[in-house]
Amino acid sequence: MRILLVEDDEPVAQSLRRGLKRYGFEVDWVATGAAALAHAGPYDVVLLDLGLPDTDGLDVCRALRGRGDVPIIVISARSDETDRVVGLELGADDYVTKPFGVREVIARIRAVMRRAQPRSPDEAGGADRYGSRLTIDRKAARVRVDGEEVALAPKEYDLLAFLTEEPGALMSREQIMEAVWDANWFGPTKTLDVHVAALRRKFAGVIAVEAVRGVGFRLEIVQDAEAS
């Protein structure tokens, strides 16, 4: 997924850029509204600061929305409710107030992308479908296989929900621990292996969680042909 980051504060931009790249996003960074409007390359989401040096970010938001339906997430130090309302009314899909964490921004990106993508009738009720057997209702935090709910411990659910955000993507241990446990987790990462083993046991024949030595884990959805 390619992100257009519009942010004039270089330390903030570099930090956010590094964090997004760690999670597999491609990031094009520009520092002015003019550069954002002149950017010709394709992108899937815009992260837009309002406090730009050459123009008000709200004007950039309005201009970008007039060009198409690419999701726009405002990232701003302006926490006033009026700015939030105006930004959303001008076409922003979400609004994040500084300071923020990379995990929060990624969660907002994934949320707006889910809303932007067409949903099948099975998904319209709020559940995301993976293959023909597995559904995850993130609003209700419920997981079903073949229509039957699977009982999961809280961290088992969080781990499954995180890994299924991008099936097939290789996630490092550090990424998983930060996303599922805590950015300040100092305990042993062996707990991750225990939870992965639990998911393998509970979802045998539905998902496969591959361990990549020295790196992390990759979740794949078992296709019907493999399950038969």
Side-chain angles (χ1 to χ4, degrees):
M1 187 183 299
R2 184 176 291 276
I3 309 295
L4 175 60
L5 172 60
V6 188
E7 169 63 69
D8 69 312
D9 188 324
E10 184 171 354
V12 171
Q14 295 290 12
S15 176
L16 187 52
R17 194 179 187 188
R18 284 194 302 270
L20 290 169
K21 285 187 172 182
R22 282 174 51 210
Y23 282 83
F25 294 93
E26 296 181 42
V27 182
D28 292 337
W29 170 41
V30 297
T32 66
L37 296 176
H39 191 279
Y43 44 84
D44 301 294
V45 177
V46 179
L47 298 181
L48 174 64
D49 183 26
L50 295 186
L52 300 174
D54 60 334
T55 185
D56 193 309
L58 291 173
D59 293 329
V60 178
C61 180
R62 181 190 295 109
L64 289 174
R65 177 53 65 231
R67 295 180 178 183
D69 297 325
V70 173
I72 300 171
I73 301 175
V74 169
I75 52 173
S76 177
R78 302 181 192 175
S79 58
D80 186 78
E81 183 180 1
T82 301
D83 289 310
R84 287 174 172 268
V85 171
V86 171
L88 295 171
E89 287 183 344
L90 289 177
D93 296 90
D94 207 341
Y95 195 112
V96 184
T97 303
K98 298 177 181 177
F100 50 77
V102 173
R103 285 173 56 191
E104 179 183 2
V105 174
I106 290 172
R108 302 293 186 105
I109 291 172
R110 288 172 171 160
V112 299
M113 290 305 295
R114 282 198 298 270
R115 294 198 296 266
Q117 292 167 351
R119 301 174 72 85
S120 69
D122 289 324
E123 295 172 322
D128 298 310
R129 178 172 290 277
Y130 301 91
S132 62
R133 305 182 63 196
L134 174 65
T135 58
I136 301 177
D137 185 340
R138 286 177 166 80
K139 289 184 178 180
R142 294 178 181 273
V143 179
R144 291 181 172 83
V145 172
D146 299 330
E148 296 294 325
E149 186 168 351
V150 179
L152 296 175
K155 287 303 180 186
E156 290 174 356
Y157 170 80
D158 291 342
L159 178 58
L160 178 67
F162 177 72
L163 291 177
T164 51
E165 287 282 4
E166 296 182 67
L170 175 58
M171 298 295 184
S172 70
R173 284 179 171 271
E174 291 76 16
Q175 285 177 299
I176 298 171
M177 294 302 296
E178 181 179 336
V180 177
W181 275 265
D182 188 272
N184 299 313
W185 174 268
F186 294 111
T189 61
K190 188 67 177 177
T191 187
L192 172 56
D193 299 273
V194 172
H195 283 77
V196 166
L199 293 186
R200 286 171 173 159
R201 183 178 67 254
K202 293 183 178 183
F203 296 94
V206 179
I207 62 171
V209 184
E210 174 191 0
V212 180
R213 183 180 295 275
V215 183
F217 296 92
R218 177 187 293 114
L219 181 144
E220 300 280 1
I221 306 300
V222 176
Q223 303 302 317
D224 294 339
E226 297 174 45
S228 60

